[in-house]
Amino acid sequence: MTTAARGAIGGSAGEIGSAHRAAAAAFIVVHGLLEEEVQGLLPQGGGAPVLVRLEVDEPTDDIYCECALGRRAWVQAKHQLSVGVDGKGLKPVIEQWAGMIRDGRVEPGDGLVLAVRYLTGPLEALRTALNRRRDPHSGAPTGEQQEALDLLRKQLRLVAPYLPTDAAERLLDHAVIWHVDAADAENVLIGEPVLGRDARLGAIQLRSLVENPDAAARAMALLTGAARAYAARRSGGDMAAWRRALSNEGIRTTTSPPGSRIGACDPLRLGVHRSIQLNNPHGSELPPYVKREHDSRLRNIVDDVIQGESRMVTLVAGSSTGKTRACWEAALDLEERQPNRWLLWHPYSPTHADAALQNLDRVGPYTVVWLNEVRRYLAPTDPAAGERIAAGLRRLLSSPDRGPVLVLATAWREQWNEMVREPSRDQPDLYSQTRELLTGTCIEVAESFTVDEMATLRTRVDDARLLHAVERSDAGRVTQYLAAAPDLENKYRLAEPPARAVIDVAIDARRLGHPPDIPQDLLEKAAHGYLDDHEWNRVSDDWLGEALRYGSEECRGAVGLLTRVRPRPGSTGHNGRPAYRLADHVEQTGSRERAREFPPASFWDSIADVVEDAGLLFTIARHAENRGRFQRAIGLYMQAVSKGSTRAVTQLVRLWERAEDAASAEAICIEFLDKADPDILYVLARLRDRGGDIGAAEALYRQAANGGRGEAVEDLTDLLYRVGRRVEAEEFAVHAAILLRRTHGLVRIAQLLEKSGDLAGAEKFCRIAIGNGNSNALIRLARLRKKAGDLSGAEHLYRQAVESGHTGVLVNLADLRERLGDFAAANLLYQQAVEKGHYGAFENRARRHHQLDDHARAEEFARQAARYGDLRTYGKLIRLRLKSGDRAGAERLCGQAAKYDQDWALTRLADIRTRDGDTAGAEELTRQAIELGVPGAIERLARLRERAHDPTAAYRIKRFGLDDSGRPVTSLPRYLGV
């Protein structure tokens, strides 16, 4: 801080004027203060003592704050700060922060704070990005926020090249920006804080003041008030009020981390299957455990955790294969090797996702995080909640001060594939954080015991249940037999029609996205549609009670088809009525068998009548839409809109656009414009753009861009360019990059210029985007250099992109090295890419081996990629086989891929049939894909109808979809208001 600035607030710590000192004597701690004076400053009555120094000569100055918990915050207060397009405005701040990190002055939980009175756009993006790094529930940063972080990292490398990468990342962990004029200390003290997330989460994130969230909000507001005073260059005399408030609030409230001692946990409550009950002289709930191949891999991970590393593992296999039991044995291994040190935390109440969101930030060292059926956490009905949980888990696993922790998760194979599969270009990316989290965590569990393992069970185990299962299980499926899976299947198949109908409702609800607890109301109201007239007329008056009693009966002492979930007193879940949970083995088997069945009308009507959650209505509507039932989807989306879902508005607009009903699409957007939602503004802008109303579209695009919708910048740039206002397009793109920190327009200009053949112009705008912090533009520029034949220049740019965090570019680098004949370097880069979760490496390597006629090796790469849920390599090989005329080989590859994802393989097989001119065979496969909910299958069916010279059906299918029975629809409902 300058001398003039110091004088404006009263000088340094050693030169504070007497009047100033008198005003704050009860509060301010200065160098050399005697111990008894310090004691005199502590709040009475158990409050948390907060010591503050003003204008200290520390590497980071202005305000220093310390609490009794030992955590500290250094605050730099600025009236305003201009970041600049290259981030140079941050240089003095970064220099001080880097010095603190280099000298080892900053410890876990401390905060490095920049307090500003006026918040510019770039600082706002950076503030939010830094907050998201600390908030485990916020999800990934947006493109603009990531660009702000990249700009900060760039300046950090320039200012402090001496800092190693891990130290630089630690700096970002400690850094926070306060917009002090946005805070109102009085409002925080008396009610809902104006600062919102910053006030409530700031202290929790920094852990610099207190650990109780409510008290944290109060303390953070008071500290923010002090920072505001300094940023505005005002006297700090009013800080005595803050001192008194802290004394009166009694804010010291520490909270213990969640979890229980492992020895106190019940494995059955954690999800380990109850075994069949036979003669059991040992009296144990669980049979003895026999280690298998996956257990040795689990043991290696436990070894790493014992050494102090934080690790996550996901056991992947079908139902009742021993995944959860293996996790429990790993937890027991930890307890045996480090007795009484470890806690086990199983988040499940009030819901699994809610429990994780509420308490994940409290997880401390030596905790096993138990995520049985991880899909409940990472893919709940609200995808944003799952992404926040995934982000929080990533943060937990990468935080040295919170480790070691062990995250134990399980997943069915189809659920794993859904979570780790990269979406197609026209689909939203719902699981980006989840994919990053799960990368490298998969351990496959075999569906059956090997011959040697079966021999071990027969000769070395003295347990009647195990021996009974060994003798009677089919093909080594011992764990399934122990969980009474065969008996459950038989019970399901032999059920009377009413009981079978109730079970089928539960199966359909689960496979279409309903959470595990299915309300009795839904089972009751939907079941009649699963019975024909003869069956319905024969049911008794107590048909529902009889069906539920039958479903709840235990099989061999293990679970039944349905397990009642009784609501606790005072619970409002499911309107206080009971709910039922389907046995997971029956869920998996039934979902597979009913996969090609579209539920009857009673199911959809009951969902609309019973479900109150907007997010769940949206999820089930998407399933209907993916199955081409646009009428059903519109009904459920409208229900979701009536309960507050703006996401559903955008989906409705898409369907009405598809049906060429622009009036309904515009009407619903206009009705919801008062919410000022940038997504709705953007959708309406697109509608006006397509309708030719350029002026209205331009205005709406601008509003959406100012509201944070980056695509609006790109589309407005495109619009201006398209109507011949090229100079305005370029000026707007530059303006948006500088003032809005949104570089989408610059990249779009580069795309348009490249398309027109102006590679030099495209390069120019890529470089402008890079200069404004868009590291993604490095990749586009590299491709332009590669297109121009400058391979060395392309390689240099790709390496810059990798250094900026775009690790997927390792695949591009490997491809370049391959083209240059450096296969050793290429293989190393491919391996690094796979380790980072970028499975395009398999596709490139498979292509190369195919070209060398090494088909066995090429297929091995396809299988490796498929194990990670990525089937693009199979797709590439299938296309190559077809191109070379090897139809039989292509079909054989489809069969291999079907083991990993039958839905995907169906569409590829349909493509082969189409290529061969077998339109009828292709249509049959495509209709199967539609019933499985494969995105894009309905469009394929429309194209096949065109090939069959049925343009009317093709038009109706494409515009209006199918009815419940699979026939083309003639129209869709219009919008009549919510």
Side-chain angles (χ1 to χ4, degrees):
M1 181 177 289
T2 65
T3 304
R6 291 183 186 277
I9 59 171
S12 66
E15 301 171 345
I16 298 177
S18 58
H20 187 176
R21 187 186 296 278
F27 176 72
I28 301 170
V29 179
V30 297
H31 288 301
L33 195 65
L34 298 177
E35 182 177 350
E36 56 268 24
E37 291 177 283
V38 175
Q39 293 299 322
L41 293 175
L42 301 183
Q44 303 301 311
V50 179
L51 312 181
V52 172
R53 293 197 296 252
L54 307 178
E55 282 302 298
V56 296
D57 292 324
E58 298 285 351
T60 302
D61 61 4
D62 289 350
I63 302 173
Y64 166 82
C65 178
E66 181 177 348
C67 75
L69 300 176
R71 288 162 179 148
R72 304 162 296 176
W74 289 267
V75 184
Q76 297 179 73
K78 309 291 183 186
H79 188 65
Q80 62 184 21
L81 185 146
S82 176
V83 173
V85 294
D86 56 359
K88 287 184 179 178
L90 293 168
K91 181 178 178 181
V93 176
I94 294 173
E95 284 178 334
Q96 295 186 14
W97 285 352
M100 296 287 286
I101 295 290
R102 175 197 60 202
D103 298 339
R105 303 174 64 86
V106 184
E107 298 176 357
D110 291 349
L112 297 172
V113 184
L114 169 63
V116 293
R117 187 178 185 192
Y118 293 107
L119 190 67
T120 61
L123 271 182
E124 168 67 20
L126 182 57
R127 179 183 72 138
T128 307
L130 290 169
N131 283 349
R132 285 192 167 203
R133 284 177 59 88
R134 282 176 290 274
D135 179 5
H137 314 315
S138 64
T142 65
E144 291 74 24
Q145 293 159 10
Q146 186 60 53
E147 290 168 15
L149 274 179
D150 292 341
L151 202 62
L152 178 56
R153 286 191 176 99
K154 175 183 176 182
Q155 274 300 313
L156 184 54
R157 287 195 298 271
L158 293 173
V159 170
Y162 53 85
L163 281 185
T165 301
D166 60 340
E169 290 301 303
R170 280 204 308 275
L171 186 149
L172 297 186
D173 294 340
H174 294 282
V176 72
I177 296 173
W178 285 348
H179 181 197
V180 293
D181 261 6
D184 187 325
E186 287 188 2
N187 280 353
V188 178
L189 288 169
I190 64 176
E192 179 68 15
V194 173
L195 246 187
R197 290 170 61 83
D198 282 346
R200 288 196 299 274
L201 293 175
I204 300 170
Q205 294 162 350
L206 293 173
R207 298 174 182 259
S208 58
L209 293 176
V210 293
E211 292 186 356
N212 175 269
D214 294 331
R218 296 192 292 270
M220 183 61 70
L222 293 166
L223 180 55
T224 303
R228 182 200 296 129
Y230 273 76
R233 302 295 185 255
R234 297 198 301 264
S235 166
D238 60 344
M239 296 171 89
W242 179 28
R243 166 73 171 85
R244 288 193 298 273
L246 285 175
S247 300
N248 295 332
E249 289 293 333
I251 62 175
R252 184 178 185 182
T253 307
T254 58
T255 55
S256 58
S260 305
R261 295 293 178 193
I262 292 175
C265 295
D266 180 354
L268 298 180
R269 291 182 179 273
L270 294 174
V272 177
H273 285 303
R274 186 183 301 276
S275 175
I276 58 174
Q277 297 301 304
L278 298 173
N279 180 28
N280 179 18
H282 305 292
S284 58
E285 289 276 11
L286 299 177
Y289 190 69
V290 177
K291 293 188 181 298
R292 301 160 68 189
E293 192 274 335
H294 58 268
D295 292 294
S296 63
R297 296 180 62 188
L298 258 179
R299 173 77 181 206
N300 293 336
I301 288 171
V302 170
D303 290 342
D304 292 342
V305 173
I306 293 288
Q307 297 301 316
E309 292 186 40
S310 289
R311 296 292 303 273
M312 176 175 181
V313 61
T314 310
L315 296 189
V316 178
S319 168
S320 305
T321 50
K323 303 183 300 297
T324 311
R325 177 69 186 276
C327 288
W328 174 244
E329 294 298 323
L332 291 179
D333 188 17
L334 266 181
E335 174 66 12
E336 181 179 343
R337 295 164 68 182
Q338 293 184 325
N340 299 318
R341 178 176 291 186
W342 287 81
L343 299 176
L344 186 147
W345 175 49
H346 177 211
Y348 67 91
S349 179
T351 69
H352 293 81
D354 287 341
L357 286 170
Q358 291 169 11
N359 296 300
L360 189 54
D361 63 308
R362 293 175 47 219
V363 173
Y366 297 102
T367 302
V368 174
V369 180
W370 187 268
L371 304 180
N372 191 38
E373 296 184 44
V374 71
R375 188 177 186 275
R376 296 187 291 199
Y377 302 94
L378 302 182
T381 56
D382 179 6
E387 287 291 87
R388 290 197 296 274
I389 294 171
L393 288 166
R394 292 179 64 195
R395 184 86 181 110
L396 171 64
L397 291 164
S398 62
S399 298
D401 57 311
R402 298 175 67 188
V405 296
L406 174 60
V407 181
L408 293 172
T410 66
W412 292 353
R413 187 177 302 285
E414 54 266 35
Q415 296 170 351
W416 169 268
N417 289 339
E418 178 186 350
M419 291 185 290
V420 301
R421 182 187 302 124
E422 291 191 10
S424 58
R425 293 179 181 177
D426 59 341
Q427 294 294 316
D429 190 354
L430 301 180
Y431 302 123
S432 60
Q433 287 280 355
T434 295
R435 280 200 309 279
E436 292 285 346
L437 171 69
L438 295 179
T439 295
T441 71
C442 174
I443 293 180
E444 292 189 89
V445 176
E447 300 284 331
S448 56
F449 278 61
T450 65
V451 173
D452 290 342
E453 290 164 348
M454 292 288 281
T456 299
L457 286 171
R458 289 190 178 95
T459 58
R460 300 183 187 177
V461 175
D462 180 21
D463 184 271
R465 294 164 294 183
L466 273 173
L467 295 174
H468 184 83
V470 167
E471 296 304 323
R472 291 164 177 78
S473 61
D474 177 38
R477 296 166 61 85
V478 175
T479 55
Q480 293 90 331
Y481 192 94
L482 284 170
D487 294 281
L488 285 170
E489 285 190 38
N490 288 334
K491 192 174 179 67
Y492 168 58
R493 300 188 198 292
L494 296 174
E496 291 292 325
R500 176 68 179 256
V502 167
I503 303 301
D504 284 345
V505 173
I507 289 170
D508 285 348
R510 288 292 291 137
R511 71 186 178 91
L512 297 178
H514 198 288
D517 296 352
I518 302 167
Q520 181 175 309
D521 287 359
L522 178 59
L523 300 175
E524 179 178 6
K525 293 181 178 182
H528 73 88
Y530 291 72
L531 301 170
D532 61 31
D533 290 343
H534 176 72
E535 290 168 337
W536 178 245
N537 288 330
R538 293 185 61 195
V539 301
S540 69
D541 291 340
D542 188 29
W543 68 270
L544 179 64
E546 292 172 357
L548 293 175
R549 284 191 289 274
Y550 177 85
S552 301
E553 292 172 354
E554 292 183 347
C555 291
R556 292 180 176 268
V559 297
L561 296 168
L562 294 170
T563 300
R564 183 176 178 180
V565 182
R566 189 185 301 274
R568 294 184 181 275
S571 169
T572 58
H574 312 305
N575 297 320
R577 296 195 64 185
Y580 287 83
R581 186 170 295 171
L582 187 63
D584 61 359
H585 182 76
V586 176
E587 177 186 334
Q588 188 177 58
T589 302
S591 295
R592 194 160 45 237
E593 293 182 357
R594 291 190 57 78
R596 293 176 174 81
E597 299 287 334
F598 190 76
S602 63
F603 174 85
W604 301 100
D605 295 340
S606 301
I607 289 289
D609 186 41
V610 172
V611 174
E612 296 292 332
D613 180 74
L616 179 53
L617 285 165
F618 182 92
T619 296
I620 298 177
R622 283 297 296 270
H623 279 283
E625 182 182 344
N626 285 341
R627 286 161 175 77
R629 271 54 175 213
F630 301 154
Q631 290 178 322
R632 292 292 181 192
I634 285 176
L636 293 179
Y637 283 137
M638 288 297 297
Q639 284 283 98
V641 168
S642 71
K643 300 181 188 304
S645 172
T646 55
R647 284 195 305 158
V649 173
T650 61
Q651 290 300 112
L652 284 166
V653 168
R654 286 180 61 254
L655 287 172
W656 279 317
E657 275 192 289
R658 183 179 191 132
E660 299 175 337
D661 184 1
S664 291
E666 287 209 10
I668 194 170
C669 285
I670 291 170
E671 180 165 336
F672 285 87
L673 274 181
D674 59 340
K675 293 184 179 293
D677 187 299
D679 292 339
I680 294 177
L681 287 166
Y682 173 66
V683 169
L684 184 56
R686 286 176 51 243
L687 287 170
R688 293 291 167 83
D689 189 357
R690 292 175 183 178
D693 189 349
I694 301 302
E698 180 178 348
L700 288 163
Y701 277 137
R702 290 187 188 277
Q703 291 182 60
N706 289 330
R709 185 69 187 248
E711 295 92 330
V713 173
E714 181 177 348
D715 282 9
L716 179 54
T717 304
D718 190 74
L719 181 151
L720 295 172
Y721 198 96
R722 182 173 7 106
V723 298
R725 295 157 63 184
R726 175 170 171 172
V727 174
E728 286 184 63
E730 295 178 357
E731 289 176 348
F732 170 71
V734 174
H735 162 85
I738 295 174
L739 297 184
L740 301 179
R741 297 298 302 159
R742 308 196 183 284
T743 55
H744 300 69
L746 294 170
V747 175
R748 183 56 180 157
I749 291 285
Q751 289 174 323
L752 292 168
L753 290 172
E754 181 184 358
K755 188 175 181 180
S756 67
D758 183 359
L759 298 188
E763 286 199 14
K764 170 189 168 184
F765 277 91
C766 279
R767 294 187 188 279
I768 296 174
I770 293 166
N772 281 273
N774 186 337
S775 56
N776 286 303
L778 285 165
I779 303 171
R780 178 161 294 279
L781 182 57
R783 289 171 181 160
L784 287 169
R785 289 282 81 219
K786 184 177 174 182
K787 196 172 186 179
D790 180 10
L791 296 186
S792 62
E795 181 170 7
H796 176 71
L797 289 162
Y798 279 140
R799 291 192 183 278
Q800 282 186 268
V802 172
E803 291 173 4
S804 299
H806 298 282
T807 51
V809 178
L810 288 164
V811 177
N812 303 80
L813 271 173
D815 183 66
L816 268 179
R817 287 284 93 206
E818 219 170 40
R819 288 170 183 266
L820 295 170
D822 187 355
F823 297 114
N827 287 336
L828 179 61
L829 288 164
Y830 280 136
Q831 185 59 39
Q832 291 174 3
V834 170
E835 289 171 357
K836 296 289 186 181
H838 304 291
Y839 308 127
F842 291 120
E843 181 179 334
N844 281 23
R845 300 176 86 178
R847 171 186 47 77
R848 178 157 64 88
H849 283 278
H850 174 86
Q851 292 168 347
L852 297 172
D853 289 329
D854 185 358
H855 298 305
R857 187 71 174 132
E859 291 178 19
E860 176 55 32
F861 282 125
R863 283 190 291 273
Q864 288 182 42
R867 291 189 192 107
Y868 290 104
D870 188 326
L871 293 167
R872 289 175 300 177
T873 306
Y874 266 117
K876 180 70 173 179
L877 289 180
I878 289 169
R879 288 192 295 273
L880 289 170
R881 290 290 174 88
L882 287 173
K883 189 175 180 180
S884 64
D886 184 4
R887 178 181 175 277
E891 288 207 7
R892 183 173 55 79
L893 288 171
C894 282
Q896 289 183 22
K899 298 176 183 177
Y900 301 96
D901 190 328
Q902 188 177 11
D903 306 0
W904 182 93
L906 267 176
T907 59
R908 296 306 178 276
L909 197 55
D911 289 343
I912 296 173
R913 296 280 190 274
T914 303
R915 190 183 181 104
D916 288 345
D918 181 7
T919 304
E923 182 168 329
E924 180 183 352
L925 291 169
T926 301
R927 285 188 176 275
Q928 291 180 33
I930 288 172
E931 300 308 337
L932 290 167
V934 177
I938 192 73
E939 288 80 6
R940 291 169 182 264
L941 181 61
R943 290 195 295 270
L944 286 169
R945 284 288 84 211
E946 287 178 351
R947 281 176 172 265
H949 308 293
D950 188 357
T952 301
Y955 177 86
R956 290 176 177 175
I957 290 169
K958 184 176 181 180
R959 300 297 179 194
F960 313 124
L962 307 173
D963 65 14
D964 288 359
S965 63
R967 293 187 297 266
V969 173
T970 57
S971 65
L972 291 182
R974 301 178 67 84
Y975 181 66
L976 301 175
V978 177

